[in-house]
Amino acid sequence: MEVGAYVPVALFLFAVIALVFAPLMTWVERKQSALMQDRIGANRADILGIKAIGLLHPIADAIKMITKEDTVPDGGDRLLHTLAPIIATVPAMISFAVIPYGGSYQAWGAEWDLVVADLDYGVLYIFAVASLATYGNVLAGWASNNNWGMLGGIRVAAQMISYEVAMGVSAVGVFMIFGTLRLTDMGFAQQETFRLLGFVEHLGWVGAGTWWVELIKIPMWGIFLQPLAFFLFLTALMAENKRAPFDIPEGESEIIAGYFIEYSGMKFGLFYMGEWVEVVVISGLMTAMFLGGWSIPYLPDDVLVEFLRHGVGLNMANVLAMIAHVATFFLKVIVLIWFQQLIRWSVPRFRYDQVMNLGWKILLPLSLANIVITGLGILIIGEIMN
Amino acid sequence: MPGKVVRVRRRERLGLAQRLYLPNIFVGLYVTARHFFRNLWGYIVGRKRTFVVQYPEEQVDYPDAFRGHPVLVALENGEPKCVACGLCEFACPTDCITIIPEETDAAIERYPREFDIDMSRCMFCGLCEEACPEEAIVMSRSVELATYEREPMLLHKKDLLRTEEQLGRRIDYMREEYAR
């Protein structure tokens, strides 16, 4: 497929992520926290009396942000002050490029791969690009000519370095299981199921095809194969996202607002937008790596297409399967977004030393142990299978 | 006899569940998630479980003891019950009441020509109500006084007049309270 064919796919993705999810996140954030705290939440913005359960608030927010005065502090670096929010936001947006939100489909002679860039080193690309966002935050703190801003920027750098180690190491277990860094291959691999008690048969304790061995089948999702890595990776990613409970760089009670203290208007809004897009990216990445990506559990792609083609023909069957898979993917993403918001509004924020302790003394050793356990497990299972 | 000294034994060592930290987080997440789904279900079926009052549209019924800003009780002919004795003016700790009395030939010989209350100084203490021998100045239930200028904060006689029906249970409560 030549490059031009990616354009509509990329545009669709950009539309969904930047124009639907990010503004909706402001609504989700307000409404979900309200429901969790027995409140009602934002519901006042209306157009001609239509309130639409507060869904118009993102529009009101955007108008407010854009029309506000945009100030650069005296002594601040005007160029870097303007560039910093862009540097902080763009990586979050482009890192969605490698996350597949559907499989591969043939319809009317064309092949549809529902991923913008199917890179060999997919996950590494996300790690690399996501850490670029740190520069935006550090530059924002430095260009503000403000001590609190500077402290916030330094804290961003410290926290990102601490948690990137744990993040990278905890993902290694998943790479070992699936034997790939390419997220589409992980997605295809996770369509399979495995028998939880299969080892009993392979050890020769019972005969082949015993009914209770065949009964318990589990999808080969990352969360079932690597449950520890799931929690470690999610924790590290949430710390990377630097929202509460890991909002050390913002530290409202200590350094007021941290790196974006001197920002106003849409430049201020861009930092928040970047964080919200990051929440979506985290959910997409977790879905692709741990929750089976686009696949519907117990229903592999080819079986689904085979089932659908009886009524409507192969082409339409492929299209229908594609729609079902995209819907499944975004459903999983929405569940993960909900879970992240649940954590964000439940867990009290950590102190600075607690964040560092958690990163270096708990997450890193545990993720190293996870690699050893995974390696041993692969060895032992390989022995049993033979 | 000296009192018995009770030594408070604080748990200095945390239990295993607390040190692991994770179990308690899941307990917390369970609590917040339960509230989330309960309220969400309340919205879907239309039975709200939240106790938030949507203020300007919905208002709670204040208790009888509630003191809003003071108002003047009007007689049936629309004139104030007030006889301009000046006791409330004297009782007022913030000097926010200004009365200019005048005589008439009617049955009640005195009436206030001017009766101003400066709401920017009033502190809703209710001493004027307590001092009044005629039940002519009464605390209302109204507290919505916000304005953009200072001028409207100075309430004149015509702004302050209320009929007894408008004051509702407050007059009964007042009689009961001051009769004690």
Side-chain angles (χ1 to χ4, degrees):
Chain A
M1 202 151 86
E2 76 266 33
V3 178
Y6 284 116
V7 171
V9 181
L11 276 181
F12 169 74
L13 196 66
F14 181 77
V16 168
I17 301 309
L19 303 177
V20 178
F21 267 98
L24 265 184
M25 284 300 293
T26 66
W27 178 77
V28 170
E29 176 121 53
R30 286 170 172 168
K31 276 296 187 184
Q32 188 176 342
S33 63
L35 286 182
M36 283 165 58
Q37 298 166 353
D38 289 351
R39 293 184 287 111
I40 290 174
N43 65 349
R44 288 281 156 178
D46 66 305
I47 295 175
L48 302 174
I50 300 161
K51 284 178 177 168
I53 51 170
L55 275 170
L56 297 171
H57 273 266
I59 302 169
D61 276 340
I63 294 170
K64 182 193 82 172
M65 286 293 186
I66 290 167
T67 51
K68 262 190 172 179
E69 187 191 358
D70 174 33
T71 55
V72 178
D74 284 348
D77 191 314
R78 180 167 285 275
L79 177 69
L80 289 181
H81 192 268
T82 312
L83 266 179
I86 301 168
I87 299 174
T89 311
V90 168
M93 287 187 170
I94 61 175
S95 55
F96 216 99
V98 293
I99 296 174
Y101 51 101
S104 184
Y105 309 91
Q106 279 95 27
W108 295 288
E111 192 177 324
W112 298 69
D113 292 316
L114 292 190
V115 57
V116 177
D118 192 9
L119 301 175
D120 275 346
Y121 43 86
V123 184
L124 293 188
Y125 166 82
I126 291 184
F127 288 175
V129 167
S131 38
L132 279 180
T134 312
Y135 285 99
N137 300 329
V138 176
L139 280 178
W142 184 78
S144 298
N145 188 30
N146 182 308
N147 286 344
W148 284 298
M150 187 70 213
L151 270 175
I154 291 168
R155 284 182 176 201
V156 175
Q159 187 172 325
M160 294 305 117
I161 289 169
S162 309
Y163 278 85
E164 241 149 48
V165 180
M167 182 175 81
V169 175
S170 61
V172 169
V174 182
F175 305 156
M176 287 162 78
I177 292 270
F178 294 122
T180 179
L181 286 168
R182 193 198 286 259
L183 284 164
T184 44
D185 287 352
M186 283 189 195
F188 286 119
Q190 290 182 74
Q191 291 177 2
E192 310 295 322
T193 53
F194 69 98
R195 294 172 302 171
L196 187 65
L197 302 171
F199 66 93
V200 187
E201 187 187 303
H202 284 291
L203 285 172
W205 294 349
V206 294
T210 314
W211 66 271
W212 51 269
V213 174
E214 298 290 332
L215 191 67
I216 306 171
K217 280 186 175 170
I218 290 178
M220 281 186 70
W221 288 7
I223 187 172
F224 298 122
L225 301 172
Q226 289 281 312
L228 181 61
F230 175 80
F231 287 106
L232 295 175
F233 196 58
L234 182 62
T235 314
L237 279 175
M238 286 195 70
E240 286 280 294
N241 192 15
K242 54 191 179 306
R243 280 152 57 81
F246 297 100
D247 64 338
I248 297 306
E250 291 168 28
E252 296 201 352
S253 52
E254 298 146 19
I255 48 174
I256 307 172
Y259 54 88
F260 56 76
I261 186 168
E262 291 285 6
Y263 279 85
S264 58
M266 201 57 211
K267 286 201 277 186
F268 171 79
L270 268 181
F271 283 115
Y272 269 92
M273 183 131 153
E275 284 185 6
W276 280 317
V277 173
E278 256 174 57
V279 172
V280 182
V281 170
I282 290 170
S283 305
L285 183 62
M286 294 296 290
T287 307
M289 283 174 70
F290 289 96
L291 292 186
W294 64 86
S295 71
I296 305 167
Y298 304 109
L299 197 62
D301 286 8
D302 41 354
V303 179
L304 180 66
V305 172
E306 202 54 41
F307 171 74
L308 286 171
R309 68 179 294 185
H310 290 304
V312 290
L314 193 58
N315 287 334
M316 271 313 281
N318 264 301
V319 173
L320 285 178
M322 182 163 79
I323 293 168
H325 284 156
V326 172
T328 312
F329 177 79
F330 280 114
L331 184 71
K332 289 171 180 173
V333 167
I334 287 166
V335 169
L336 273 175
I337 290 173
W338 174 83
F339 186 65
Q340 285 186 62
Q341 294 280 19
L342 188 71
I343 293 176
R344 188 247 176 276
W345 288 99
S346 299
V347 182
R349 72 187 286 269
F350 293 102
R351 220 166 43 211
Y352 187 71
D353 60 322
Q354 288 169 331
V355 165
M356 288 295 141
N357 274 346
L358 183 67
W360 289 107
K361 292 187 185 168
I362 298 172
L363 286 193
L364 186 58
L366 276 181
S367 42
L368 285 171
N370 186 48
I371 292 177
V372 176
I373 295 164
T374 309
L376 281 175
I378 289 171
L379 262 182
I380 291 167
I381 289 170
E383 282 297 310
I384 292 173
M385 292 289 233
N386 294 328
Chain B
M1 187 183 144
K4 192 183 166 197
V5 176
V6 179
R7 284 183 67 91
V8 179
R9 290 178 69 87
R10 288 212 174 79
R11 290 222 348 239
E12 282 159 14
R13 290 171 63 94
L14 299 173
L16 183 69
Q18 284 159 322
R19 266 184 300 164
L20 277 179
Y21 195 72
L22 220 53
N24 285 343
I25 282 196
F26 281 109
V27 172
L29 290 183
Y30 164 70
V31 171
T32 47
R34 197 184 59 203
H35 276 257
F36 174 81
F37 284 115
R38 207 181 61 187
N39 289 324
L40 189 68
W41 180 246
Y43 268 102
I44 291 168
V45 299
R47 258 185 306 131
K48 279 197 297 178
R49 303 287 295 263
T50 51
F51 42 79
V52 177
V53 177
Q54 298 274 317
Y55 168 60
E57 293 91 14
E58 301 169 28
Q59 299 205 1
V60 292
D61 194 17
Y62 297 122
D64 292 346
F66 184 84
R67 297 196 301 264
H69 72 76
V71 291
L72 292 175
V73 182
L75 292 167
E76 271 157 27
N77 62 6
E79 286 297 309
K81 234 178 178 181
C82 177
V83 294
C85 65
L87 278 178
C88 54
E89 203 177 3
F90 188 71
C92 181
T94 57
D95 285 345
C96 68
I97 301 176
T98 310
I99 304 172
I100 299 175
E102 204 168 77
E103 284 185 27
T104 62
D105 299 330
I108 303 167
E109 291 147 27
R110 275 165 67 91
Y111 80 103
R113 180 158 59 85
E114 300 285 336
F115 198 113
D116 297 346
I117 304 182
D118 189 353
M119 279 306 156
S120 59
R121 296 169 72 172
C122 177
M123 63 182 195
F124 300 76
C125 64
L127 288 180
C128 49
E129 181 193 65
E130 207 173 332
C132 184
E134 299 287 327
E135 289 180 356
I137 185 164
V138 171
M139 307 306 279
S140 68
R141 281 161 186 252
S142 166
V143 282
E144 290 165 351
L145 291 162
T147 60
Y148 286 102
E149 292 96 29
R150 291 185 183 206
E151 288 296 311
M153 299 291 275
L154 186 65
L155 296 186
H156 302 293
K157 193 170 78 178
K158 62 178 187 324
D159 310 319
L160 289 167
L161 282 173
R162 300 280 192 284
T163 59
E164 283 198 24
E165 290 86 66
Q166 282 173 317
L167 291 163
R169 302 193 303 269
R170 176 71 194 182
I171 291 178
D172 297 331
Y173 171 80
M174 192 177 76
R175 284 174 188 155
E176 195 182 311
E177 190 67 12
Y178 298 142
R180 281 203 251 144

